[in-house]
Amino acid sequence: MTASAQQSPSALTIERIFSAPSLTTAAPQQIKFAPGGHQISYLKGSADAPNIQDLWLYDVRQNTHTLIVAAASLTDPNQPLSAEEKARRERQRIRSSGIVDYYWSPTGDALLFPVRGTLYLYDIAHSQVRQLTADSVSATDARFSPQGNFVSFVHDYNLYLIALRTGITYQVTHRQSATEQYATAEFVAQEEMKRMTGYWWSPDEAAIALTRIDLSPVPIQRRVDVYGDHSELVAQHYPAAGSSNVALDLGWFSLAEIMQEPEEESDNNSPHLAAITWLQLEQRHEPGYLARVTWLPDSQSISYQWQNRQQNKLTLWQFPLSQDAPRVLIEETSATWVNLHDDLHFMNDSRHFIWSSERSGYKHLYLYRTDGSLIRQLTSGDWMVDKLNYVDEITGVIYFTGRRQSPLERHLYRASLNTSAPGQPSQLSSQAGMHTIVFADDGRSYIDYFSSSRQPPQVSLHGPTGERITWIHENRIDAQHPLHPYIANWSYPEFGQLKAEDGQTLHYQVHKPSPLADNQRYPAIVMVYGGPRAQRVTNSWGDYFTQYLVQQGYVVFKLDNRGSGHRGRQFENAIYRQMGTVEVADQKLGAQWLAQQPYVNANKIGVFGHSYGGYMALHLIMRAPELFHAAVAGAPVTDWALYDTHYTERYMGTPQDNVIGYRQANVLTYAEQLQRPLLVYHGMADDNVLFTHTAQLAHRLQQSMKPFEMMAYPGEAHGIYGHAANIHRYKLIADFFNRHLR
């Protein structure tokens, strides 16, 4: 065999995409600095089992990587998860198993991690693992207390503490009914607000703030989760748009009372109940949501963010523990809605804080006093700040990621707390692409998780001025890399811009088969999402199904329509109270551009999307049959009146106050217009976009005598992650497009 034959590229297959070893390689996940910054921990799967994550340590001084805990050595990976943990993982979009999260002790001498609900403690000095909770306990939301004397966790919607010195377990709360839950984030808080916890330690470890929720006001949706070998009737409290949310309160208690208990093992029959002071949030404020909770550094006050039900007002409150009433620090208002963020940072003196706001039309950072007075704006310009990453109070410098260079790239920047030029921060990252940053507690170094359209994810260690210290995961595509057999056939995207009908810029990317044959017109597939706050078109490493389609002779096109994220309020707010309008218009504009390209067959354009993308695919195939000739809609929303309150009402209001908007946004309104081939698939245990959406669509199409194809996936939730299910799903999609576009 000749050398050229040996080096001939391999054809990418769907089986290979979803099989080990990962084509991307097992890049480190959940990267965290140990206190002191000389060790870095991370999760990584093995080459043979990339989805079962183990716990690793990287020693910066020795430049060594050490596997410290193999998940398979602790529990059976097939051991069932509790319903609470399954739901939590679905909200966090966790696709892996094994060790999926972990925490450093404040002193850096131990690591805490759960494995399928059981808590373990890893002793750094002795390299030993100790089981903290009984096998019968299913612990979620576990963490160390700020001083490291306790481990806290939630079990059966009650809060527990383990005193590490004595080993005593304290049950802090004791719920009285099936609808009462403590220290837990409700469904919409987890799914839509990205608040995954319901309790917060004070920095001095003397108190804990926690939530109490009552599910009883929320209507029950009874659904049947169908699995391969059984079915389950599930009564889910699901707050559909226009219906009631949970009853919620925030309280706090002192640990001093609990610690007065006798030093002996407690049991659940004699719980150590805390005397909790409740803030009476729903009596103090108009109906709404508890968005965020943050203690001030002096531990004398709790701050919380209350968002009204309409979501056009977000108020930051301070509640001093010594007083009986909160006071307003900041109130953000909008004619449409106010986006939530995680950029609140209180300074160590508890008298100043940093806050982000979109009041200028773009998200930027501001410095305030805790009397509510603005000191100065820290960033400005027609670009978005992504995240406040670190505040160095000693040097008076802040670090943040943002889109000043381009909305398609995320870079790390530095600015002064005393800046007189908020529009001119210093850029520290140099490689064009997407940077995700994790700082050490002392700010002396940071981890940069980077990728671009030409570079799969890399992980590197940097100093505070941006210089790279070392690679943690260089991910060079050499002869041993899993991608090496396929890279010669790789299709890199071309980026471009179109103008929406209101003049705003739309970004797109297109992948073409290579080489393009002369005078040949290729079928094309539009990969769509289109939903608010999301973004498909970035200078980042792409998805492998796109590469597969391109190698099969398709052009693949992606466009971020108005309503998408990271472009400012005007761009995002275009969908307000009218979902399914400007998004459809922009995607049609993209398809018209695509059809005009000399290498595209204008009569063979398909569209594929999942979730909001499935919703978009349905609108496009029903309302633009002159442009789209086949569609695949995965787990689609079909009627926004069936989706949850916080997400839907933010953009649409309620079904009661926006009747026309809901009707126009409803896919079923256009079902009788279906002329082209359609494939719909849905997980049969979806607790987010309920299977009811697809069932209603199927019934309407049947009643209209419209032919379509449908595939149901037993046991799968909103994200279909199973190895076999994914191979089946993408083969199904590829076969569908081959039958109708080739």
Side-chain angles (χ1 to χ4, degrees), residues 449-488:
Y449 194 97
F450 166 79
S451 83
S452 72
S453 60
R454 292 181 172 269
Q455 173 60 54
Q458 296 178 310
V459 185
S460 50
L461 177 66
H462 294 252
T465 57
E467 72 281 5
R468 187 175 69 236
I469 298 171
T470 187
W471 289 109
I472 295 176
H473 183 71
E474 186 176 4
N475 211 7
R476 181 187 303 169
I477 305 177
D478 55 21
Q480 287 71 48
H481 197 285
L483 270 177
H484 186 263
Y486 310 98
I487 201 67

Tab-separated table of all heavy atoms in Angstrom, residues 449-488:
chain	number	residue	atom	x	y	z
A	449	TYR	N	-10.625	28.305	28.423
A	449	TYR	CA	-11.206	27.224	27.642
A	449	TYR	C	-11.588	27.836	26.302
A	449	TYR	O	-12.504	28.640	26.214
A	449	TYR	CB	-12.428	26.652	28.369
A	449	TYR	CG	-12.918	25.331	27.833
A	449	TYR	CD1	-12.545	24.138	28.439
A	449	TYR	CD2	-13.756	25.273	26.731
A	449	TYR	CE1	-13.007	22.925	27.953
A	449	TYR	CE2	-14.214	24.066	26.235
A	449	TYR	CZ	-13.841	22.897	26.854
A	449	TYR	OH	-14.292	21.690	26.366
A	450	PHE	N	-10.868	27.464	25.241
A	450	PHE	CA	-10.946	28.170	23.965
A	450	PHE	C	-11.261	27.223	22.817
A	450	PHE	O	-10.820	26.067	22.793
A	450	PHE	CB	-9.604	28.856	23.677
A	450	PHE	CG	-9.457	29.321	22.257
A	450	PHE	CD1	-10.058	30.491	21.830
A	450	PHE	CD2	-8.721	28.578	21.338
A	450	PHE	CE1	-9.938	30.917	20.508
A	450	PHE	CE2	-8.594	28.991	20.023
A	450	PHE	CZ	-9.201	30.171	19.603
A	451	SER	N	-12.038	27.716	21.859
A	451	SER	CA	-12.172	27.026	20.583
A	451	SER	C	-12.469	28.053	19.507
A	451	SER	O	-12.902	29.176	19.791
A	451	SER	CB	-13.275	25.959	20.621
A	451	SER	OG	-14.550	26.528	20.399
A	452	SER	N	-12.235	27.660	18.265
A	452	SER	CA	-12.602	28.477	17.115
A	452	SER	C	-13.136	27.550	16.041
A	452	SER	O	-13.146	26.324	16.201
A	452	SER	CB	-11.400	29.270	16.591
A	452	SER	OG	-10.484	28.406	15.937
A	453	SER	N	-13.562	28.100	14.927
A	453	SER	CA	-14.088	27.270	13.850
A	453	SER	C	-13.020	26.370	13.241
A	453	SER	O	-13.342	25.416	12.538
A	453	SER	CB	-14.705	28.150	12.761
A	453	SER	OG	-13.740	29.036	12.221
A	454	ARG	N	-11.746	26.663	13.538
A	454	ARG	CA	-10.654	25.852	13.011
A	454	ARG	C	-9.852	25.131	14.087
A	454	ARG	O	-8.883	24.440	13.771
A	454	ARG	CB	-9.711	26.725	12.170
A	454	ARG	CG	-10.369	27.212	10.886
A	454	ARG	CD	-9.446	28.058	10.037
A	454	ARG	NE	-10.069	28.344	8.742
A	454	ARG	CZ	-9.930	27.592	7.651
A	454	ARG	NH1	-9.177	26.503	7.710
A	454	ARG	NH2	-10.519	27.928	6.532
A	455	GLN	N	-10.240	25.291	15.330
A	455	GLN	CA	-9.499	24.670	16.425
A	455	GLN	C	-10.471	24.050	17.419
A	455	GLN	O	-11.280	24.761	18.028
A	455	GLN	CB	-8.629	25.706	17.147
A	455	GLN	CG	-7.953	25.200	18.414
A	455	GLN	CD	-7.017	24.024	18.159
A	455	GLN	OE1	-6.123	24.116	17.322
A	455	GLN	NE2	-7.205	22.920	18.873
A	456	PRO	N	-10.427	22.711	17.606
A	456	PRO	CA	-11.269	22.106	18.646
A	456	PRO	C	-10.836	22.581	20.024
A	456	PRO	O	-9.744	23.133	20.189
A	456	PRO	CB	-11.043	20.604	18.450
A	456	PRO	CG	-9.754	20.482	17.715
A	456	PRO	CD	-9.628	21.716	16.880
A	457	PRO	N	-11.687	22.398	21.036
A	457	PRO	CA	-11.455	23.015	22.345
A	457	PRO	C	-10.076	22.744	22.928
A	457	PRO	O	-9.602	21.608	22.974
A	457	PRO	CB	-12.547	22.390	23.216
A	457	PRO	CG	-13.653	22.095	22.258
A	457	PRO	CD	-12.977	21.674	20.996
A	458	GLN	N	-9.450	23.833	23.358
A	458	GLN	CA	-8.160	23.796	24.044
A	458	GLN	C	-8.329	24.361	25.450
A	458	GLN	O	-9.206	25.193	25.694
A	458	GLN	CB	-7.124	24.652	23.307
A	458	GLN	CG	-6.770	24.187	21.914
A	458	GLN	CD	-5.781	25.122	21.249
A	458	GLN	OE1	-5.976	26.335	21.218
A	458	GLN	NE2	-4.708	24.560	20.714
A	459	VAL	N	-7.463	23.931	26.353
A	459	VAL	CA	-7.481	24.448	27.717
A	459	VAL	C	-6.061	24.854	28.083
A	459	VAL	O	-5.119	24.052	27.962
A	459	VAL	CB	-8.002	23.405	28.721
A	459	VAL	CG1	-8.122	24.028	30.109
A	459	VAL	CG2	-9.354	22.855	28.282
A	460	SER	N	-5.890	26.101	28.536
A	460	SER	CA	-4.552	26.603	28.854
A	460	SER	C	-4.578	27.410	30.138
A	460	SER	O	-5.620	27.945	30.538
A	460	SER	CB	-4.013	27.462	27.704
A	460	SER	OG	-4.957	28.440	27.310
A	461	LEU	N	-3.428	27.497	30.784
A	461	LEU	CA	-3.249	28.260	32.023
A	461	LEU	C	-2.525	29.559	31.691
A	461	LEU	O	-1.513	29.551	30.986
A	461	LEU	CB	-2.437	27.447	33.036
A	461	LEU	CG	-2.106	28.131	34.361
A	461	LEU	CD1	-3.371	28.382	35.175
A	461	LEU	CD2	-1.102	27.287	35.159
A	462	HIS	N	-3.059	30.683	32.212
A	462	HIS	CA	-2.517	32.003	31.882
A	462	HIS	C	-2.242	32.811	33.142
A	462	HIS	O	-2.879	32.611	34.186
A	462	HIS	CB	-3.506	32.781	31.011
A	462	HIS	CG	-3.725	32.175	29.667
A	462	HIS	ND1	-3.238	32.731	28.510
A	462	HIS	CD2	-4.371	31.045	29.294
A	462	HIS	CE1	-3.585	31.970	27.477
A	462	HIS	NE2	-4.273	30.940	27.931
A	463	GLY	N	-1.312	33.754	33.007
A	463	GLY	CA	-1.084	34.735	34.046
A	463	GLY	C	-2.066	35.877	33.918
A	463	GLY	O	-2.791	35.990	32.918
A	464	PRO	N	-2.115	36.782	34.910
A	464	PRO	CA	-3.157	37.815	34.945
A	464	PRO	C	-3.075	38.837	33.818
A	464	PRO	O	-4.038	39.557	33.567
A	464	PRO	CB	-2.953	38.471	36.315
A	464	PRO	CG	-1.525	38.204	36.653
A	464	PRO	CD	-1.219	36.858	36.075
A	465	THR	N	-1.945	38.911	33.123
A	465	THR	CA	-1.836	39.843	32.004
A	465	THR	C	-2.068	39.156	30.664
A	465	THR	O	-1.909	39.759	29.611
A	465	THR	CB	-0.457	40.522	31.991
A	465	THR	OG1	0.572	39.515	31.927
A	465	THR	CG2	-0.254	41.356	33.240
A	466	GLY	N	-2.444	37.861	30.702
A	466	GLY	CA	-2.825	37.169	29.485
A	466	GLY	C	-1.807	36.205	28.930
A	466	GLY	O	-2.129	35.421	28.029
A	467	GLU	N	-0.568	36.246	29.422
A	467	GLU	CA	0.453	35.355	28.869
A	467	GLU	C	0.148	33.900	29.226
A	467	GLU	O	-0.280	33.596	30.329
A	467	GLU	CB	1.842	35.736	29.390
A	467	GLU	CG	2.136	35.402	30.855
A	467	GLU	CD	1.549	36.373	31.861
A	467	GLU	OE1	0.801	37.285	31.432
A	467	GLU	OE2	1.841	36.235	33.061
A	468	ARG	N	0.342	33.016	28.251
A	468	ARG	CA	0.095	31.599	28.502
A	468	ARG	C	1.261	31.011	29.281
A	468	ARG	O	2.416	31.116	28.894
A	468	ARG	CB	-0.099	30.835	27.189
A	468	ARG	CG	-0.523	29.386	27.419
A	468	ARG	CD	-0.848	28.640	26.137
A	468	ARG	NE	0.334	28.403	25.336
A	468	ARG	CZ	0.491	28.782	24.078
A	468	ARG	NH1	-0.476	29.438	23.472
A	468	ARG	NH2	1.607	28.528	23.427
A	469	ILE	N	0.921	30.343	30.401
A	469	ILE	CA	1.925	29.691	31.232
A	469	ILE	C	2.188	28.274	30.737
A	469	ILE	O	3.335	27.853	30.590
A	469	ILE	CB	1.475	29.680	32.709
A	469	ILE	CG1	1.327	31.118	33.226
A	469	ILE	CG2	2.452	28.894	33.574
A	469	ILE	CD1	0.688	31.211	34.599
A	470	THR	N	1.099	27.544	30.477
A	470	THR	CA	1.255	26.169	29.996
A	470	THR	C	-0.063	25.697	29.396
A	470	THR	O	-1.122	26.269	29.653
A	470	THR	CB	1.674	25.227	31.139
A	470	THR	OG1	1.980	23.934	30.608
A	470	THR	CG2	0.566	25.079	32.169
A	471	TRP	N	0.045	24.639	28.598
A	471	TRP	CA	-1.153	23.961	28.106
A	471	TRP	C	-1.616	22.946	29.146
A	471	TRP	O	-0.806	22.212	29.704
A	471	TRP	CB	-0.872	23.220	26.801
A	471	TRP	CG	-0.666	24.089	25.604
A	471	TRP	CD1	0.508	24.311	24.943
A	471	TRP	CD2	-1.662	24.832	24.911
A	471	TRP	NE1	0.306	25.158	23.887
A	471	TRP	CE2	-1.025	25.493	23.839
A	471	TRP	CE3	-3.035	25.004	25.089
A	471	TRP	CZ2	-1.709	26.315	22.959
A	471	TRP	CZ3	-3.716	25.828	24.211
A	471	TRP	CH2	-3.065	26.472	23.160
A	472	ILE	N	-2.893	22.896	29.380
A	472	ILE	CA	-3.478	21.802	30.146
A	472	ILE	C	-4.039	20.751	29.196
A	472	ILE	O	-3.978	19.559	29.464
A	472	ILE	CB	-4.571	22.340	31.093
A	472	ILE	CG1	-3.930	23.270	32.134
A	472	ILE	CG2	-5.316	21.208	31.786
A	472	ILE	CD1	-4.931	23.928	33.047
A	473	HIS	N	-4.545	21.227	28.062
A	473	HIS	CA	-5.066	20.322	27.027
A	473	HIS	C	-4.905	21.054	25.691
A	473	HIS	O	-5.782	21.787	25.262
A	473	HIS	CB	-6.538	19.995	27.311
A	473	HIS	CG	-7.142	19.026	26.348
A	473	HIS	ND1	-6.808	17.696	26.318
A	473	HIS	CD2	-8.084	19.189	25.384
A	473	HIS	CE1	-7.508	17.080	25.381
A	473	HIS	NE2	-8.296	17.968	24.801
A	474	GLU	N	-3.778	20.833	25.028
A	474	GLU	CA	-3.493	21.571	23.792
A	474	GLU	C	-4.390	21.120	22.646
A	474	GLU	O	-4.770	21.914	21.784
A	474	GLU	CB	-2.033	21.410	23.395
A	474	GLU	CG	-1.649	22.267	22.193
A	474	GLU	CD	-0.176	22.180	21.850
A	474	GLU	OE1	0.540	21.390	22.510
A	474	GLU	OE2	0.259	22.894	20.928
A	475	ASN	N	-4.708	19.845	22.609
A	475	ASN	CA	-5.632	19.309	21.610
A	475	ASN	C	-5.141	19.547	20.180
A	475	ASN	O	-5.923	19.887	19.286
A	475	ASN	CB	-7.032	19.908	21.793
A	475	ASN	CG	-8.133	18.943	21.387
A	475	ASN	OD1	-7.883	17.785	21.082
A	475	ASN	ND2	-9.363	19.420	21.382
A	476	ARG	N	-3.885	19.339	19.976
A	476	ARG	CA	-3.318	19.454	18.636
A	476	ARG	C	-3.749	18.251	17.805
A	476	ARG	O	-3.708	17.112	18.264
A	476	ARG	CB	-1.794	19.513	18.723
A	476	ARG	CG	-1.103	19.649	17.371
A	476	ARG	CD	0.399	19.520	17.523
A	476	ARG	NE	0.922	20.513	18.463
A	476	ARG	CZ	2.170	20.489	18.936
A	476	ARG	NH1	2.986	19.494	18.602
A	476	ARG	NH2	2.577	21.419	19.763
A	477	ILE	N	-4.147	18.497	16.580
A	477	ILE	CA	-4.606	17.410	15.715
A	477	ILE	C	-3.396	16.774	15.033
A	477	ILE	O	-3.041	17.103	13.899
A	477	ILE	CB	-5.640	17.918	14.690
A	477	ILE	CG1	-6.791	18.619	15.402
A	477	ILE	CG2	-6.183	16.753	13.851
A	477	ILE	CD1	-7.818	19.226	14.475
A	478	ASP	N	-2.745	15.882	15.772
A	478	ASP	CA	-1.595	15.159	15.236
A	478	ASP	C	-2.041	13.773	14.779
A	478	ASP	O	-3.243	13.470	14.733
A	478	ASP	CB	-0.479	15.071	16.280
A	478	ASP	CG	-0.961	14.461	17.595
A	478	ASP	OD1	-1.998	13.763	17.596
A	478	ASP	OD2	-0.302	14.686	18.628
A	479	ALA	N	-1.097	12.921	14.454
A	479	ALA	CA	-1.422	11.608	13.895
A	479	ALA	C	-2.176	10.731	14.880
A	479	ALA	O	-2.882	9.801	14.466
A	479	ALA	CB	-0.142	10.905	13.441
A	480	GLN	N	-2.069	10.991	16.194
A	480	GLN	CA	-2.749	10.181	17.198
A	480	GLN	C	-4.132	10.730	17.564
A	480	GLN	O	-4.886	10.096	18.288
A	480	GLN	CB	-1.901	10.096	18.478
A	480	GLN	CG	-0.669	9.211	18.364
A	480	GLN	CD	0.406	9.824	17.492
A	480	GLN	OE1	0.752	11.010	17.650
A	480	GLN	NE2	0.961	9.037	16.561
A	481	HIS	N	-4.460	11.899	17.073
A	481	HIS	CA	-5.732	12.528	17.435
A	481	HIS	C	-6.891	11.792	16.761
A	481	HIS	O	-6.794	11.401	15.595
A	481	HIS	CB	-5.735	13.996	17.007
A	481	HIS	CG	-6.781	14.825	17.669
A	481	HIS	ND1	-8.111	14.753	17.332
A	481	HIS	CD2	-6.698	15.767	18.663
A	481	HIS	CE1	-8.798	15.603	18.072
A	481	HIS	NE2	-7.970	16.230	18.884
A	482	PRO	N	-8.018	11.597	17.476
A	482	PRO	CA	-9.166	10.904	16.863
A	482	PRO	C	-9.691	11.567	15.594
A	482	PRO	O	-10.291	10.909	14.744
A	482	PRO	CB	-10.221	10.930	17.972
A	482	PRO	CG	-9.451	11.071	19.239
A	482	PRO	CD	-8.255	11.889	18.903
A	483	LEU	N	-9.462	12.881	15.458
A	483	LEU	CA	-9.932	13.579	14.271
A	483	LEU	C	-9.026	13.384	13.056
A	483	LEU	O	-9.440	13.682	11.926
A	483	LEU	CB	-10.054	15.081	14.551
A	483	LEU	CG	-11.371	15.617	15.089
A	483	LEU	CD1	-11.258	17.113	15.366
A	483	LEU	CD2	-12.504	15.358	14.113
A	484	HIS	N	-7.813	12.929	13.297
A	484	HIS	CA	-6.820	12.902	12.220
A	484	HIS	C	-7.290	12.174	10.968
A	484	HIS	O	-7.068	12.664	9.850
A	484	HIS	CB	-5.502	12.300	12.732
A	484	HIS	CG	-4.399	12.362	11.729
A	484	HIS	ND1	-4.063	11.288	10.906
A	484	HIS	CD2	-3.560	13.369	11.392
A	484	HIS	CE1	-3.075	11.629	10.124
A	484	HIS	NE2	-2.744	12.885	10.395
A	485	PRO	N	-7.953	11.019	11.072
A	485	PRO	CA	-8.373	10.332	9.844
A	485	PRO	C	-9.418	11.093	9.033
A	485	PRO	O	-9.649	10.763	7.872
A	485	PRO	CB	-8.961	9.012	10.368
A	485	PRO	CG	-8.403	8.839	11.735
A	485	PRO	CD	-8.265	10.225	12.274
A	486	TYR	N	-10.044	12.107	9.639
A	486	TYR	CA	-11.162	12.785	8.983
A	486	TYR	C	-10.852	14.227	8.602
A	486	TYR	O	-11.602	14.836	7.836
A	486	TYR	CB	-12.381	12.786	9.919
A	486	TYR	CG	-12.705	11.424	10.475
A	486	TYR	CD1	-12.277	11.047	11.748
A	486	TYR	CD2	-13.421	10.489	9.730
A	486	TYR	CE1	-12.565	9.797	12.251
A	486	TYR	CE2	-13.718	9.233	10.224
A	486	TYR	CZ	-13.278	8.889	11.495
A	486	TYR	OH	-13.556	7.641	11.987
A	487	ILE	N	-9.768	14.784	9.129
A	487	ILE	CA	-9.566	16.228	9.036
A	487	ILE	C	-9.324	16.695	7.608
A	487	ILE	O	-9.631	17.851	7.255
A	487	ILE	CB	-8.410	16.671	9.974
A	487	ILE	CG1	-8.533	18.160	10.293
A	487	ILE	CG2	-7.051	16.317	9.381
A	487	ILE	CD1	-9.744	18.505	11.119
A	488	ALA	N	-8.789	15.833	6.736
A	488	ALA	CA	-8.544	16.245	5.347
A	488	ALA	C	-9.844	16.555	4.619
A	488	ALA	O	-9.852	17.313	3.642
A	488	ALA	CB	-7.759	15.164	4.607
